[in-house]
Amino acid sequence: MMALKAGIDPKKIVFSGVGKTSNEISYAIDKKILLINAESKSEIKEIDRIARIKKKKVQIGIRLNPNTDAKTLSQISTGKKENKFGVNSKTFLEIVNYCKKSKNIHLKCLSVHIGSQILDHRPYLKMLKVISKIINKINYKFEFIDLGGGMGITYENKDKRLDYKKYSIAIKNFLKKHKSKIIFEPGRSIIGNTGILISKVIYIKDSEKKSFVILDAAMNDLMRPALYGASHKILPSIKKNKKSNKIYEFVGPICESTDKFETLKKFQKLQERDDIVICDVGAYGMSLSSNYNLRIKPLELLIKGSKVKIIKKRQSYKDLI
């Protein structure tokens, strides 16, 4: 609904997710989107039932769980057999046979997505081998292969970069054997590094071993550090040469010990009321934000060249209550 409202062509929309409701499936069918990527036998039957009532033929994909370890954080791994996503190869084959008999389902796509924040190309190569093997086994022509996303970005200077060239070569070799259109869901890789969160230092509280830098931003604004133990670079808004001789622990004001962003040594010396910048929040920053603890969401600005545009107004307590 949001994508359509933003002017996205329905034929570029793929609807994924393990728990689509009947109303959501019905809406997707009515809007004639490219694909509904199904994740279970029960979901296929529900799509079939709704399509039959509407007297429509619906284009679908099946999400295969390739049992491939993405070598990323366990909380954002989605392609192993113990994860809730997709179906195993045996169930995949059963669903293909079901779709062949259905008058209301047109199976067009094999879909996979093995995880998020992937910086090593090798899990992708393994994933492509698994897909190739299953296509050869079932001997079915898929118009689309949806390879998902998960391509990672650099959050810290020490992070390595994903080798897109090696991934690209592997896809080209795959396409020589299987003539299909490739779908990507690039998400984080195109937006993650573009966003920053600007926060003000409310107080600096000294303890024996470190100083707590208490910010006006909190875990409700940026959930990743609390949720995954994820790391984000923090920079002073104005660069100065003087370093702090104390360790700084950057924390939010919420009454949770997990409401902290980073612990850093040799950071620039800060004063109360200084602004700091938390980097790389373009992905899973605003989208994971909440009003937890009755906190209002911040202003969101889009900067393009020298132009600054408000794209989301700052919430007020009146909006909230």
Side-chain angles (χ1 to χ4, degrees):
M1 199 181 284
M2 181 75 88
L4 290 169
K5 190 85 175 162
I8 304 295
D9 180 351
K11 290 298 170 194
K12 285 192 170 184
I13 295 175
V14 175
F15 183 22
S16 299
V18 297
K20 304 177 198 73
T21 65
S22 301
N23 285 345
E24 289 168 346
I25 292 166
S26 180
Y27 182 83
I29 292 170
D30 289 343
K31 295 301 176 186
K32 298 175 182 170
I33 64 168
L34 179 66
L35 293 164
I36 300 174
N37 275 352
E39 305 220 13
S40 66
K41 271 202 241 178
S42 298
E43 188 189 333
I44 294 278
K45 288 175 182 174
E46 185 61 2
I47 295 167
D48 198 11
R49 183 187 73 80
I50 296 166
R52 197 161 51 244
I53 293 165
K54 290 179 181 287
K55 295 185 171 62
K56 290 185 178 176
K57 191 150 189 170
V58 180
Q59 295 188 168
I60 70 155
I62 308 170
R63 181 166 173 179
L64 173 71
N65 185 319
N67 193 25
T68 302
D69 188 354
K71 307 290 182 189
T72 185
L73 293 170
S74 61
Q75 299 98 320
I76 49 177
S77 172
T78 60
K80 293 194 281 186
K81 63 183 177 185
E82 61 263 34
N83 299 136
K84 67 181 178 182
F85 303 96
V87 297
N88 63 27
S89 54
K90 182 174 174 282
T91 308
F92 190 93
L93 184 56
E94 289 168 11
I95 292 172
V96 171
N97 290 331
Y98 178 93
C99 292
K100 282 178 183 175
K101 294 170 192 168
S102 170
K103 292 174 183 172
N104 298 95
I105 286 177
H106 191 179
L107 176 58
K108 304 263 283 188
C109 178
L110 184 156
S111 167
V112 285
H113 179 78
I114 58 171
S116 197
Q117 187 49 18
I118 300 167
L119 296 168
D120 183 354
H121 67 282
R122 285 170 295 186
Y124 286 126
L125 307 194
K126 189 181 174 190
M127 174 190 82
L128 285 168
K129 282 180 185 171
V130 173
I131 297 169
S132 191
K133 193 175 173 184
I134 199 160
I135 292 172
N136 291 336
K137 188 177 179 182
I138 63 174
N139 193 26
Y140 188 91
K141 175 77 174 76
F142 292 99
E143 186 178 333
F144 301 100
I145 303 291
D146 185 343
L147 295 176
M151 292 83 89
I153 61 169
T154 53
Y155 283 100
E156 297 181 80
N157 295 334
K158 66 175 189 286
D159 284 344
K160 67 174 187 175
R161 292 176 187 273
L162 177 65
D163 193 329
Y164 280 94
K165 195 170 182 182
K166 286 181 179 172
Y167 188 20
S168 173
I169 290 164
I171 292 167
K172 284 173 184 170
N173 289 335
F174 174 87
L175 288 173
K176 285 174 189 172
K177 300 173 200 162
H178 311 287
K179 305 291 182 198
S180 299
K181 290 174 189 167
I182 297 291
I183 296 173
F184 289 110
E185 298 160 17
R188 182 204 311 259
S189 64
I190 56 172
I191 202 73
N193 290 133
T194 67
I196 60 169
L197 172 60
I198 300 173
S199 179
K200 190 176 287 296
V201 177
I202 306 174
Y203 303 117
I204 297 174
K205 182 167 76 170
D206 289 327
S207 70
E208 197 176 319
K209 291 185 177 177
K210 58 190 171 188
S211 293
F212 292 98
V213 180
I214 301 165
L215 305 174
D216 65 356
M219 62 191 282
N220 74 293
D221 302 304
L222 180 62
M223 186 67 169
R224 293 187 77 249
L227 192 61
Y228 309 139
S231 187
H232 284 260
K233 272 186 291 193
I234 296 179
L235 304 171
S237 66
I238 298 168
K239 201 172 180 184
K240 294 172 186 169
N241 291 325
K242 198 168 183 187
K243 300 278 183 196
S244 169
N245 54 11
K246 276 210 160 188
I247 295 167
Y248 278 161
E249 188 162 300
F250 291 87
V251 300
I254 288 175
C255 184
E256 301 270 7
S257 293
T258 51
D259 184 26
K260 64 179 182 180
F261 297 105
E262 202 69 84
T263 304
L264 298 170
K265 292 177 183 176
K266 295 179 182 175
F267 197 82
Q268 178 178 302
K269 190 166 179 58
L270 293 171
Q271 306 291 331
E272 291 172 356
R273 303 192 66 78
D274 280 355
D275 290 327
I276 61 102
V277 176
I278 303 176
C279 300
D280 310 315
V281 303
Y284 312 105
M286 214 51 172
S287 62
L288 275 179
S289 66
S290 73
N291 293 120
Y292 176 61
N293 232 220
L294 278 184
R295 283 179 52 81
I296 52 178
K297 289 191 187 182
L299 175 77
E300 202 170 0
L301 298 173
L302 176 69
I303 300 169
K304 187 178 180 183
S306 59
K307 292 178 182 174
V308 180
K309 186 179 180 181
I310 295 171
I311 55 173
K312 204 168 274 184
K313 290 179 182 175
R314 189 184 303 279
Q315 276 185 326
S316 69
Y317 288 109
K318 193 179 173 184
D319 297 327
L320 216 61
I321 299 171

